[in-house]
C-alpha cells in the first residue's frame, strides 16, 4: 500500500496569480570558462576570495554571506561574512544556516536518486504508478497525464506550467476546499487538469512539478519526505539541515531586502498544491558536503549510473540550449566542456540568494547570501557579479591547500 501523508494545504487570502504560485526566482547563473581563450590566465590564490565577496556585499547591500570551496573532495576554504542577524549582531559563519530556496530542488533530486539506487524507484516510472494509482474519472483525464515520468518532473518537462496548469489546478483546489485539503487529494485535482504541453516535449522551469517530486519521494520511501531526506543526508555526513520556519533562531540567517535592509518574514509559502514541508535551511559547509557526495570526490553519495543520469542531455524531442547547456536532474544548467562538466543550481526569493556550483577542474563551491539591493533600495541579486569573480579565482588557482577542513565539521 502506498504511503499517504495527510499534508494540509494552507491557503492564502491573496488572489491565486502566477507570481503567487511561483514564489522563487528562476534565473540561473550563466557562466563561461575564462580559460577557453589562447591567452594564459594569471595565476590566482584563494586568499583573494574574501576581497571579491566583501566588495560585492558592500556594493549591493548584502548583510551576510558564507562561502565554502572544496577541491577534489577536500574542503579548502570556508568562511562567513557580515551578519546573520543585524539586530543582534550575530555574525554569519560558514556553519550559519541560510535558506536554500530553489536549491532545495537539488536536495530532492538526491533523495530521488538514492531511491533509484536502492531499487525502490525508477526514473522512467510513471508518477501515477508511484503514488498508488489514485482513482480518477478517466473520461475527464488526459491519458498522457498517466504517463508522466519521474524523470520528466526532474527535467521540468512534466506537462504543466506554473503560470497556467498549476494556476488552474490551484484555483480548483481553493474552490472545492477554501480551508485546505490533503496534498494527495490536491494531486488528484492536478491530474484532472488539462496539460499545457505533451510531457517530455519541452523543458520549462516549474516549481509546481518539484512540489510533486516531494510527494513522489514520500510515496516511494513509505515515510514522510522530511524524515526520509534527513536520514539520507545523514548518510553523507549532513545532520544540521532542517526545513525553514516562520521565525529565525540562533544559528539561522535572517532574510533582508532593500537599502537600508529590512527583514523579510521567513517560513514556507502558503499556497495550494504545495506540501507543508518548505525549503531547506543549510550551511555552506553542509552544501559543500552535499556536492562532494554527488560527484563522489569525498564519499559516494549516489552511484556512477545515477550521476550519469543527472548530467545527461535532455531526451529527444527536447533540445539543448545554446552552447550545449541543458537542464540536468535537479540542476538548472549542465554543460560539458573540453576539460569536464560544469553544473549549477540557483535558489532565490526575497532575502535569499543561494548557488551551488561544480566546476570543470574538480572544484565544488557554495555561495549563500541573505539579501541584496541597489543603492536606491531596489532589489538586486548579488550572486552574478560575485560569482564571476569567484569563478575567475577558482578556475585559475595555482596552489591548493593540502589540509582538509571537513575534518573540523564531522
Amino acid at each position: 500500500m502506498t504511503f499517504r501523508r495527510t499534508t494540509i494545504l494552507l491557503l492564502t487570502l491573496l488572489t491565486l496569480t502566477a507570481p503567487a504560485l511561483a514564489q522563487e526566482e528562476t534565473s540561473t547563473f550563466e557562466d563561461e570558462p575564462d580559460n577557453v581563450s589562447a591567452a594564459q590566465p594569471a595565476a590566482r590564490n584563494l586568499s583573494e576570495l574574501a576581497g571579491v565577496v566583501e566588495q560585492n556585499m558592500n556594493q549591493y547591500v548584502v548583510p551576510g554571506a558564507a562561502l565554502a570551496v572544496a577541491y577534489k573532495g577536500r574542503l579548502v576554504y570556508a568562511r562567513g561574512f557580515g551578519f546573520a542577524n543585524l539586530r543582534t549582531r550575530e555574525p554569519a559563519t560558514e556553519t550559519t544556516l541560510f535558506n536554500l530556496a530553489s536549491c532545495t530542488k537539488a536536495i530532492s533530486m538526491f533523495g530521488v536518486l538514492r531511491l533509484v539506487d536502492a531499487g525502490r524507484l525508477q526514473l522512467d516510472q510513471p508518477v501515477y504508478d508511484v503514488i498508488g494509482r489514485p482513482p480518477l474519472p478517466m473520461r475527464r483525464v488526459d491519458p498522457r497525464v498517466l504517463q508522466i515520468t519521474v524523470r520528466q518532473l526532474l527535467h521540468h518537462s512534466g506537462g504543466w506550467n506554473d503560470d497556467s496548469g498549476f494556476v488552474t489546478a490551484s484555483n480548483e483546489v481553493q474552490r472545492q476546499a477554501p480551508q485546505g485539503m490533503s496534498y494527495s487529494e490536491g494531486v488528484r485535482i492536478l491530474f484532472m487538469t488539462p496539460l499545457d504541453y505533451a510531457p517530455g516535449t519541452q523543458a520549462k522551469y516549474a516549481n509546481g512539478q518539484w512540489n510533486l517530486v516531494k510527494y513522489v519521494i514520500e510515496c516511494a520511501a513509505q515515510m514522510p519526505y522530511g524524515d526520509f531526506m534527513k536520514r539520507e543526508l545523514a548518510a553523507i555526513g549532513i545532520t544540521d539541515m532542517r526545513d525553514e520556519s516562520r521565525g529565525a533562531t540562533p544559528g539561522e540567517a535572517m532574510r533582508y531586502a532593500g537599502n537600508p535592509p529590512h527583514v523579510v518574514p521567513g517560513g514556507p509559502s502558503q499556497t495550494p498544491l504545495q506540501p507543508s514541508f518548505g525549503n531547506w535551511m543549510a550551511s555552506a559547509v553542509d552544501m559543500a558536503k552535499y556536492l562532494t557526495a554527488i560527484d563522489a570526490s569525498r564519499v559516494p553519495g549516489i552511484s556512477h549510473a545515477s550521476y550519469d543520469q543527472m548530467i545527461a542531455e535532455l531526451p529527444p524531442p527536447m533540445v539543448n540550449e545554446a552552447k550545449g547547456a541543458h537542464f540536468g536532474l535537479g540542476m538548472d544548467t549542465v554543460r560539458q566542456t573540453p576539460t569536464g562538466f560544469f553544473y549549477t543550481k540557483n535558489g532565490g526569493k526575497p532575502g535569499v540568494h543561494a548557488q551551488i556550483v561544480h566546476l570543470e577542474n574538480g572544484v565544488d563551491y557554495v555561495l549563500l547570501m541573505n539579501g541584496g539591493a541597489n543603492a536606491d533600495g531596489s532589489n538586486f541579486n548579488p550572486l552574478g557579479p560575485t560569482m564571476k569573480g569567484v569563478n575567475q579565482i577558482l578556475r585559475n588557482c595555482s596552489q591548493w591547500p593540502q589540509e582538509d577542513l571537513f575534518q573540523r565539521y564531522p
Side-chain angles (χ1 to χ4, degrees), residues 9 33 44 54 66 105 140 170 189 204 270 286 290 363 401:
L9 302 179
R44 307 297 293 270
E54 290 170 342
K105 294 179 175 65
R140 296 171 49 196
S170 296
I189 291 175
K204 182 178 179 180
Q270 298 180 346
D286 275 351
Y290 164 85
V363 171

Side-chain angles (χ1 to χ4, degrees), residues 54-330:
E54 290 170 342
Q55 175 186 341
N56 283 281
M57 289 178 66
N58 291 333
Q59 182 172 352
Y60 299 114
V61 200
V62 180
L67 174 65
V69 180
Y71 178 66
K72 295 185 176 180
R74 302 192 317 275
L75 185 66
V76 295
Y77 186 95
R79 180 176 167 183
F81 304 85
F83 297 98
N85 189 313
L86 290 173
R87 182 181 63 82
T88 65
R89 311 304 284 179
E90 179 184 347
T93 74
E94 68 276 16
T95 58
T96 295
L97 299 180
F98 286 76
N99 195 299
L100 294 183
S102 270
C103 285
T104 293
K105 294 179 175 65
I107 304 301
S108 295
M109 173 270 292
F110 173 70
V112 168
L113 294 183
R114 294 282 285 192
L115 287 164
V116 169
D117 288 340
R120 303 178 67 178
L121 191 63
Q122 299 175 26
L123 288 174
D124 294 316
Q125 188 174 1
V127 171
Y128 182 65
D129 292 348
V130 178
I131 65 175
R133 301 178 65 85
L136 297 172
M138 291 304 177
R139 294 180 182 177
R140 296 171 49 196
V141 174
D142 185 331
R144 298 173 300 176
V145 168
L146 307 182
Q147 301 305 315
I148 297 170
T149 67
V150 176
R151 185 192 303 272
Q152 288 165 352
L153 292 185
L154 270 61
H155 274 151
H156 297 277
S157 64
W160 295 286
N161 292 331
D162 273 345
D163 57 0
S164 183
F166 282 106
V167 172
T168 300
S170 296
N171 286 340
E172 182 62 17
V173 168
Q174 187 182 44
R175 186 189 70 80
Q176 292 190 23
Q179 302 306 313
M181 66 170 58
S182 69
Y183 187 73
S184 60
E185 191 63 23
V187 169
R188 289 185 68 253
I189 291 175
L190 175 65
F191 274 39
M192 292 183 282
T193 302
L195 293 170
D196 296 307
Y197 57 90
T201 62
Q202 61 177 274
K204 182 178 179 180
Y205 199 99
N207 288 310
Q209 296 187 41
W210 281 84
N211 293 330
L212 188 53
V213 167
K214 294 178 181 178
Y215 185 56
V216 165
I217 288 173
E218 63 178 32
C219 289
Q222 297 285 288
M223 61 189 300
Y225 166 84
D227 293 346
F228 172 77
M229 291 305 310
K230 288 174 183 176
R231 187 187 74 185
E232 300 305 302
L233 290 165
I236 59 172
I238 298 174
T239 58
D240 293 332
M241 287 178 60
R242 57 179 179 260
D243 57 314
E244 62 184 330
S245 58
R246 289 287 164 201
T249 60
E252 290 185 7
M254 297 288 289
R255 291 162 50 181
Y256 295 96
N259 181 25
H262 60 269
V263 173
V264 176
S269 58
Q270 298 180 346
T271 57
L273 286 173
Q274 178 161 318
S276 61
F277 196 99
N279 293 314
W280 286 101
M281 302 284 294
S283 70
V285 167
D286 275 351
M287 291 308 291
K289 287 183 178 180
Y290 164 85
L291 285 171
T292 53
I294 290 294
D295 65 18
S297 58
R298 178 179 59 90
V299 296
I302 56 176
S303 68
H304 291 300
S306 285
Y307 181 83
D308 289 344
Q309 294 295 323
M310 185 193 81
I311 60 177
E313 295 185 354
L314 293 171
M318 296 184 291
V319 297
N320 294 336
E321 299 173 4
K323 301 179 182 178
H326 59 86
F327 278 126
L329 301 182

